Amino acid sequence: MTENLVASLAERLADPVALAARVMAAETPELAETRSLWHPQSLADGHAGVGLLFAALAHDEPEYAKAAHAHLTAAVTGVRRPAREGLYAGLPAVAFAARTAITRPGEYAALLAQLDTQAALLARRLVEEDAPRVAAGTAGARMSGYDVVAGLSGLGRLLLAAGPEHRSTTELLLAHLVALTRPVTVPDGRLVPGWWTGDPILISEPDGLPGGHFNVGLAHGIPGPLALLSLAHRAGVRVPGQEQAIRTIAEWLLARRSPDGTGWPNVVPLLAEVEAASGTRPDLAEARTGWCYGTPGVARALQLAALALKEPEWNRQAVAAVAAVCDRPGGAAAFGDPTLCHGLAGFTTIVTLMSREPGGAELIVHIPKLSQLLASAAELAHPFLWPASSTASAAVVHRPGFLDGAAGAALALDFATNPEAQLGELPWQAALLLC
């Protein structure tokens, strides 16, 4: 059944011209929202993200390579780059999909030489923009400067895969993330962790939180830098202070779980951080349970840190936290969205990855049920099989893309049911900073 669902979706998405025309035509109200989010160079909702599906599948089934190439071509032909670029938008998004598509030495070499250079320039610019603030010890990190989706954590994962040619930029970026962990003084005079931000948690909350906050989501918060620093450490790419930075973030996260020790909040407001720093666990709600925000994403970042620094107790606590999510009333069936970002696909991918690491075997028992639930969420009557939750209403929308759409759900299902499949030199899960 899994193969049939993935193949059925792939057939519907294979032609980039027909797919873009369908999305842009917005033939139903449910597709209208998809049109507003579509950009050819988007890893979330565009040819780059759809191409990532075919790129990943092509390692086991070479016939998909043609569709991957077609989507990559559509992403760079006559396309105006978005105003703000990062791992999920613009040339870095195309670079990630292209590197995932490599099946033989030298493939896409000319394209990647150009795209990697652009990604490195963007990373250096982000560092240069924030370096004076960090050097002065001024509070106020920008989430979009360091996070996975738009900032240095996502770009760093791409550059780490680019190899020695861009090692100097990668090390500059890592050093900046290390500096981000140094304490800063917030406007009221308190000394707090350096990733304090006055940014809003979401665009939909433009006023932010009084006193600012510490973002705990893997997509936009401090687990993103933790994951990158840990992955780089395991790969032998290290800068002064990197190990201590990993310890600082990991220990901070462990001390800010829920009072019962089973999960993490989405954010820690400043006043709750003051309380936590005094030794009391703040009773903060977990508004989301997914990759972007919530326990699963945090736990995987913590597991990566544990593996990097050989801290089995961190790993034990990370695995236990994810097992506790599986054992909650309703369990995985409580996920209302099947996609990667904050839905069932993201959770399934995290459980599958964590189960394959040392100390993660207890999670294996949950994978068949997760896979079954993800498969049952697909309906052939839907344009792209797996519908997504609307960002603007309670309705569902039909999106073909990677992060919030059907391509990501298909990849998660394929991986959970075939975890030994070939993934190439840059696995698609790396776009989520999960590996």
Side-chain angles (χ1 to χ4, degrees):
M1 179 180 180
T2 297
E3 294 82 358
N4 292 339
L5 288 172
V6 175
S8 178
L9 177 68
E11 183 179 357
R12 299 183 192 199
L13 303 184
D15 185 337
V17 175
L19 175 62
R22 183 170 197 181
V23 171
M24 298 310 293
E27 57 200 41
T28 68
E30 293 79 15
L31 278 171
E33 184 177 332
T34 299
R35 176 180 61 183
S36 68
L37 295 169
W38 177 269
H39 188 285
Q41 291 181 349
S42 171
L43 202 60
D45 293 288
H47 290 301
V50 176
L52 189 60
L53 168 66
F54 292 102
L57 295 177
H59 290 284
D60 260 6
E61 301 177 73
E63 63 270 20
Y64 285 123
K66 183 178 179 180
H69 183 77
H71 278 283
L72 288 171
T73 300
V76 296
T77 304
V79 175
R80 178 175 294 180
R81 292 158 64 178
R84 182 171 181 87
E85 294 185 288
L87 181 61
Y88 277 78
L91 297 183
V94 182
F96 188 96
R99 191 165 291 281
T100 299
I102 295 173
T103 57
R104 61 182 185 275
E107 194 171 15
Y108 293 110
L111 175 65
L112 284 168
Q114 298 178 52
L115 298 183
D116 289 344
T117 297
Q118 292 299 314
L121 288 172
L122 176 58
R124 285 184 173 275
R125 186 163 69 245
L126 288 176
V127 171
E128 289 166 4
E129 288 173 355
D130 198 39
R133 180 194 66 81
V134 171
T138 304
R142 301 302 306 272
M143 287 153 49
S144 61
Y146 71 77
D147 75 1
V148 172
V149 173
L152 293 173
S153 295
L155 290 171
R157 185 62 187 92
L158 177 62
L159 293 172
L160 187 63
E165 185 174 346
H166 295 286
R167 184 60 50 80
S168 62
T169 300
T170 305
E171 291 175 347
L172 176 72
L173 184 158
L174 292 172
H176 190 75
L177 293 180
V178 168
L180 189 69
T181 66
R182 298 172 189 152
V184 295
T185 302
V186 292
D188 71 358
R190 291 188 176 97
L191 195 66
V192 300
W195 55 92
W196 173 88
T197 181
D199 287 352
I201 303 168
L202 299 169
I203 295 174
S204 58
E205 299 173 358
D207 295 331
L209 290 174
H213 74 282
F214 304 85
N215 197 290
V216 191
L218 178 52
H220 300 297
I222 198 60
L226 176 63
L228 179 64
L229 290 166
S230 301
L231 288 165
H233 190 280
R234 294 181 76 185
V237 181
R238 301 170 186 176
V239 297
Q242 186 168 339
E243 180 173 334
Q244 183 54 53
I246 293 171
R247 290 189 180 280
T248 296
I249 300 170
E251 290 169 357
W252 184 88
L253 287 169
L254 286 167
R256 278 143 189 84
R257 289 171 297 168
S258 57
D260 64 5
T262 62
W264 282 271
N266 295 176
V267 300
V268 176
L270 177 61
L271 293 180
E273 169 61 19
V274 173
E275 179 183 347
S278 69
T280 303
R281 288 192 188 274
D283 190 4
L284 300 170
E286 181 186 49
R288 283 184 176 178
T289 304
W291 166 77
C292 57
Y293 282 98
T295 296
V298 179
R300 176 55 174 172
L302 186 60
Q303 184 184 54
L304 292 173
L307 296 170
L309 300 192
K310 297 180 173 56
E311 290 284 356
E313 179 58 21
W314 294 358
N315 191 35
R316 187 194 67 77
Q317 295 187 55
V319 171
V322 170
V325 174
C326 294
D327 293 334
R328 288 177 186 173
F335 283 90
D337 188 303
T339 62
L340 283 174
C341 185
H342 47 271
L344 181 59
F347 184 57
T348 301
T349 299
I350 289 169
V351 171
T352 305
L353 284 168
M354 293 183 69
S355 74
R356 302 178 72 193
E357 303 285 10
E362 69 178 90
L363 297 175
I364 294 174
V365 68
H366 299 288
I367 296 174
K369 183 176 181 180
L370 291 169
S371 302
Q372 180 184 9
L373 287 168
L374 191 52
S376 65
E379 293 186 24
L380 293 176
H382 289 313
F384 310 122
L385 276 72
W386 284 275
S389 297
S390 170
T391 57
S393 68
V396 299
V397 294
H398 302 295
R399 298 165 69 173
F402 171 72
L403 189 59
D404 292 303
L411 281 170
L413 179 60
D414 186 66
F415 177 56
T417 54
N418 188 23
E420 301 304 322
Q422 297 297 312
L423 294 173
E425 68 173 60
L426 183 59
W428 64 264
Q429 299 93 334
L432 305 168
L433 266 287
L434 296 176
C435 65

